[in-house]
Amino acid sequence: QQPLRTQIRGRVHRAHRRIPQRLISQAARARTVAHWCSRADWRLVWRGFQMRSAAGLVADILATMNDTQLYQMDATALLAALGSGQTCSVEVVKALIARRHQVDGKVGSFTAQLDEHALREAAQADAARQSGRGSTLPPLLGLPITIKDNIDVTGTDSTLGLRSRTNQPATTDAVTVAELRRAGAVILGKTNVPQLLLVQESDNAVYGVTKNPWHSGRSPGGSSGGEGAAIATGQSPLGIGSDIGGSIRIPAHFCGVA
């Protein structure tokens, strides 16, 4: 007869193989978010991951949640909720702003906060969704996202962590940002990087250090460390980074969102 621990391990392994891959990836996100959630919040999220479909997951969470819990949902779930009318973009943006106020003082992910712009764009997205029901809508309509510091967003600095590049706001969006806006995304803000994007951490003389969301004495990785930490702590459901030698992959691994 196998020891109890071995029996349990075998049952967990067999159950894991039956879970759809989309729920496994969502559960990985939830494990990170749980670090910042209350015990009651985490029980709610875990009940959601016991569902067998993405639609069931959204319905289960939204049935018992208020707007402060929208930050626990990833981009796929938020788009499903927006599309079904169970929430609206303005409420999602408000929830993410509240989440940033709650945790970013401990983490240091953001370099620029575009709250007023984001709320205005969210309201426009909600109006477009209401007037365009039944027609083809942009694929990311109303979804809030964040952008890495080095990528131009109109009206914000792209410092690369250099003091000499501050107070020089971009006059146009980068091509990537322009395409995201065309797809309906709402820009929440920009996130931290190491100086000149050269190392696997996120610390510079302009915005200071971004901390690992799991352990404040460790690095979130780099150079897209601000994005990794923001997503891991529920401050953003989706982020845009850049990668040559691991600048997205390393933060995704360090912050548990890979």
Side-chain angles (χ1 to χ4, degrees):
Q1 184 176 0
Q2 291 180 315
L4 179 59
R5 182 179 300 177
T6 303
Q7 293 178 42
I8 293 172
R9 186 184 298 119
R11 290 171 189 164
V12 170
H13 177 68
R14 289 192 296 274
H16 182 274
R17 286 186 298 178
R18 293 196 297 269
I19 298 174
Q21 186 61 43
R22 64 179 179 274
L23 296 188
I24 294 172
S25 62
Q26 294 240 24
R29 161 78 188 276
R31 284 196 297 272
T32 304
V33 172
H35 182 69
W36 298 95
C37 293
S38 70
R39 187 174 300 174
D41 287 340
W42 174 235
R43 284 199 299 269
L44 171 65
V45 175
W46 178 244
R47 284 202 302 274
F49 288 117
Q50 293 174 321
M51 301 298 289
R52 280 289 187 263
S53 70
L57 169 63
V58 173
D60 187 57
I61 292 176
L62 284 175
T64 53
M65 70 189 294
N66 56 44
D67 65 347
T68 63
Q69 293 162 328
L70 287 166
Y71 71 82
Q72 296 173 347
M73 300 170 67
D74 69 9
T76 301
L78 284 173
L79 284 171
L82 289 167
S84 66
Q86 291 174 295
T87 190
C88 66
S89 183
V90 168
E91 291 306 310
V92 175
V93 169
K94 286 180 178 179
L96 293 170
I97 291 171
R99 182 61 175 170
R100 191 189 72 231
H101 291 161
Q102 180 184 8
V103 303
D104 205 44
K106 305 172 186 176
V107 180
S109 299
F110 278 76
T111 61
Q113 301 87 26
L114 303 177
D115 297 356
E116 291 184 10
H117 290 281
L119 287 167
R120 186 160 55 248
E121 290 176 3
Q124 293 169 356
D126 288 338
R129 193 175 290 278
Q130 285 296 324
S131 63
R133 289 206 178 275
S135 61
T136 301
L137 297 170
L140 301 181
L141 184 62
L143 180 70
I145 66 171
T146 42
I147 307 293
K148 187 177 178 179
D149 168 89
N150 63 305
I151 300 172
D152 282 353
V153 174
T154 301
T156 69
D157 291 339
S158 300
T159 69
L160 284 73
L162 297 174
R163 287 174 175 162
S164 61
R165 291 177 61 90
T166 59
N167 302 313
Q168 300 177 48
T171 56
T172 58
D173 288 331
V175 172
T176 302
V177 176
E179 289 301 313
L180 286 166
R181 290 193 196 274
R182 189 171 293 118
V186 172
I187 310 300
L188 276 176
K190 299 182 72 173
T191 55
N192 206 21
V193 296
Q195 191 174 79
L196 291 176
L197 318 181
L198 290 177
V199 293
Q200 279 73 55
E201 58 184 28
S202 293
D203 185 9
N204 61 70
V206 181
Y207 301 112
V209 62
T210 299
K211 298 177 181 178
N212 187 289
W214 290 96
H215 190 300
S216 62
R218 296 179 180 175
S219 170
S223 61
S224 306
E227 282 300 324
I231 293 170
T233 50
Q235 300 181 72
S236 172
L238 183 66
I240 301 301
S242 57
D243 189 312
I244 296 175
S247 286
I248 290 175
R249 290 163 287 168
I250 292 169
H253 173 65
F254 282 14
C255 295
V257 296

